[in-house]
Amino acid sequence: MGLLGLFLRVASLDDLIAGTSWWLAPLARIGVPVADFGLMLAVALGTAPVVLGEGRRIEMVLRLRRGGGQQAGGGHALSRWMRRIVDRAQLVVPLLETLGRRAEALSLSLRRRRPAPGHQARFLSPAETIILAGWAALLIWSPW
């Protein structure tokens, strides 16, 4: 996710979707539905930061309700560890509710918004092919 965040800082979401569509195009021959992958990627990249922010907000509310600052340093390490596990477990239900509401609204807004079936990824230019081959060679030979 960190590398994906860095890539999105450097390039646009359209470039990311075009690149992944190009890489996954051979899978369409064996029946994998890659036409919707760009839409799924855009939705996932838009949802992850919202869910993380909502989780942090709920966690802060739970800490405030418990009296966060006074109990943060007190107790044994095992009790602090168990308290953190219980706090994280209490986040699951509100986050799932948030995701459910978002999915319901998103399905309504994305209805009939899919890439056209004839939309194909473009071929790479010779310069892009050389750069891609260089990066692939670097990734293959770097572990040795």
Side-chain angles (χ1 to χ4, degrees):
M1 285 301 282
L3 289 174
L4 191 56
L6 175 66
F7 180 79
L8 287 176
R9 296 273 185 195
V10 175
S12 68
L13 182 61
D14 292 337
D15 292 339
L16 177 66
I17 291 171
T20 52
S21 297
W22 184 82
W23 278 101
L24 296 176
L27 295 177
R29 293 182 191 141
I30 60 172
V32 177
V34 296
D36 293 334
F37 185 74
L39 183 62
M40 290 186 301
L41 189 62
V43 169
L45 290 175
T47 302
V50 172
V51 172
L52 284 173
E54 183 74 10
R56 287 183 183 133
R57 186 187 66 80
I58 295 171
E59 185 178 20
M60 287 297 151
V61 168
L62 288 174
R63 282 186 188 174
L64 284 173
R65 285 183 181 170
R66 190 172 14 96
Q70 299 164 355
Q71 295 178 1
H76 296 289
L78 182 61
S79 65
R80 285 190 308 245
W81 182 71
M82 287 299 292
R83 191 178 323 132
R84 279 189 293 226
I85 289 177
V86 169
D87 285 349
R88 294 285 166 96
Q90 289 176 345
L91 293 177
V92 173
V93 173
L95 284 178
L96 286 176
E97 181 182 352
T98 300
L99 280 173
R101 271 191 259 122
R102 183 172 170 83
E104 183 179 352
L106 196 62
S107 68
L108 292 174
S109 67
L110 291 179
R111 191 168 298 195
R112 302 192 190 277
R113 286 189 189 186
R114 289 183 46 206
H119 182 266
Q120 296 292 326
R122 65 175 179 85
F123 289 104
L124 294 177
S125 68
E128 290 174 330
T129 305
I130 291 171
I131 292 171
L132 180 63
W135 274 106
L138 180 69
L139 288 174
I140 290 171
W141 284 300
S142 65
W144 290 290

